[in-house]
Amino acid sequence: MKLAFIGGGNMASALIGGLIAKGARASELSAVEPVAAARRKLAARYKVHASAAMDVHTSGADTLVLAVKPQDMRTAVSPLAGALRGKLVISIAAGIRLKDLARWLGGHAKIIRCMPNTPALIGAGIAALYAPPGVSAAEKRRAERILAAVGKFVWVKDEALLDPVTAVSASGPAYVFWFIEQLAASAVALGLPADVSRQLALETVLGAAKLAAGSKEPPAVLRERVTSRGGTTAAALAVFEEARLAEHFRRAVAAASRRGAEMGEEFGRDAGKD
Ligand SMILES: NC(=O)c1ccc[n+]([C@@H]2O[C@H](COP(=O)([O-])OP(=O)(O)OC[C@H]3O[C@@H](n4cnc5c(N)ncnc54)[C@H](OP(=O)(O)O)[C@@H]3O)[C@@H](O)[C@H]2O)c1
């Protein structure tokens, strides 16, 4: 596999670092990145070829990973239209739909869409992928190999499901950070020192996630085990119940999913056409 990244920022660096750690050769990887400092960083850290525009090296790749911000995508990919024969394109951009990408890429059909999340930066990501019917099983394995370098992955059968995926696992780290903030702030409000509060909140989330990940029991059962009748946890959960927190939470995640769909519409517009 010869892989070229279009955009050499955070996500591309995480994927390049992960692939090299898993045994990929630096000579198999390259990046197109307009910022000189980012190019120097990639070359110094991973010894990969990085250029300001497509060149002989990046054009020789059989797989292109589109790793620019959604708002830069149309400009970034338009020079590629007509030069993609036989190549697999993998987009990791939030929101940009296959039909828009395919149009910007001059009708190219071999495109996989993928939604990673920020824990990929430390090799603990979870990504969802969608491939349209024109993508072969071998090409899907190629995308899996790339994503497996920074964490786990799942496939979805319908592109529209990438909006709820975005709401759950791509926005999800922010919900968890918010929960850590709130737990720590509650600890401070009850008289604990700030540093102790932060450590208690952080380690609780980390430990509980590890416990849930390593357990055969569903989270609901693990929760019930911590909740003795008339006890402290039951007192807190009763307040959640009274405030209908579960219902609010579902509304919040649904709002994120709706916003994902709207952003797809916005980013996919061709200026002056619609
Ligand atoms: N970070 C995440 O956790 C995360 C999670 C899920 C999905 N994603 C998706 O991953 C994509 C990349 O995110 P990121 O965090 O890695 O962004 P980033 O750090 O901003 O990296 C994007 C890089 O692409 C460069 N670029 C801009 N226009 C370009 C062009 N025409 N050709 C080549 N390179 C160009 C940017 O340069 P400038 O700085 O000059 O703009 C920047 O260095 C986004 O679409 C995002 O939706 C990211």
Side-chain angles (χ1 to χ4, degrees), residues 5-13 32-35 38 52 66-70 72-73 75-77 92-95 114-121 170:
F5 288 83
I6 309 301
N10 293 319
M11 266 294 162
S13 301
V32 176
E33 165 57 54
V35 181
L66 307 179
V68 299
K69 294 278 186 211
D72 295 328
M73 188 60 84
T75 316
V77 300
I92 65 164
C114 149
M115 196 59 224
N117 68 357
T118 43
L121 302 174

Side-chain angles (χ1 to χ4, degrees), residues 40-112:
R40 278 197 297 274
K41 204 162 137 189
L42 286 173
R45 190 178 291 176
Y46 303 117
K47 313 273 181 281
V48 298
H49 174 87
S51 54
M54 289 294 274
D55 61 8
V56 182
H57 204 96
T58 43
S59 305
D62 53 38
T63 308
L64 297 183
V65 178
L66 307 179
V68 299
K69 294 278 186 211
Q71 56 272 29
D72 295 328
M73 188 60 84
R74 191 161 156 249
T75 316
V77 300
S78 48
L80 306 174
L84 292 172
R85 217 183 148 83
K87 293 186 199 291
L88 173 66
V89 174
I90 301 171
S91 168
I92 65 164
I96 308 274
R97 294 187 188 153
L98 284 181
K99 68 175 171 62
D100 299 312
L101 263 180
R103 186 174 71 254
W104 298 336
L105 290 171
H108 191 68
K110 284 185 184 301
I111 312 176
I112 292 180

Side-chain angles (χ1 to χ4, degrees), residues 40-233:
R40 278 197 297 274
K41 204 162 137 189
L42 286 173
R45 190 178 291 176
Y46 303 117
K47 313 273 181 281
V48 298
H49 174 87
S51 54
M54 289 294 274
D55 61 8
V56 182
H57 204 96
T58 43
S59 305
D62 53 38
T63 308
L64 297 183
V65 178
L66 307 179
V68 299
K69 294 278 186 211
Q71 56 272 29
D72 295 328
M73 188 60 84
R74 191 161 156 249
T75 316
V77 300
S78 48
L80 306 174
L84 292 172
R85 217 183 148 83
K87 293 186 199 291
L88 173 66
V89 174
I90 301 171
S91 168
I92 65 164
I96 308 274
R97 294 187 188 153
L98 284 181
K99 68 175 171 62
D100 299 312
L101 263 180
R103 186 174 71 254
W104 298 336
L105 290 171
H108 191 68
K110 284 185 184 301
I111 312 176
I112 292 180
R113 247 189 89 185
C114 149
M115 196 59 224
N117 68 357
T118 43
L121 302 174
I122 55 155
I126 174 81
L129 299 110
Y130 169 76
V135 173
S136 71
E139 287 163 337
K140 286 187 184 176
R141 299 293 88 78
R142 222 189 288 171
E144 288 178 355
R145 199 188 134 202
I146 297 167
L147 270 307
V150 291
K152 300 192 166 67
F153 58 83
V154 292
W155 285 95
V156 293
K157 287 200 162 75
D158 179 352
E159 186 183 1
L161 292 176
L162 289 176
D163 292 329
V165 162
T166 305
V168 173
S169 55
S171 299
Y175 314 152
V176 177
F177 300 145
W178 183 86
F179 181 79
I180 294 170
E181 282 175 70
Q182 299 313 319
L183 196 55
S186 305
V188 169
L190 290 169
L192 286 159
D195 55 339
V196 172
S197 301
R198 183 180 174 277
Q199 199 180 358
L200 287 173
L202 201 60
E203 295 298 331
T204 299
V205 170
L206 198 61
K210 278 188 184 163
L211 187 63
S215 171
K216 288 197 181 73
E217 306 285 11
V221 171
L222 298 178
R223 170 175 52 77
E224 279 157 16
R225 279 202 196 127
V226 187
T227 316
S228 33
R229 196 184 291 269
T232 57
T233 315

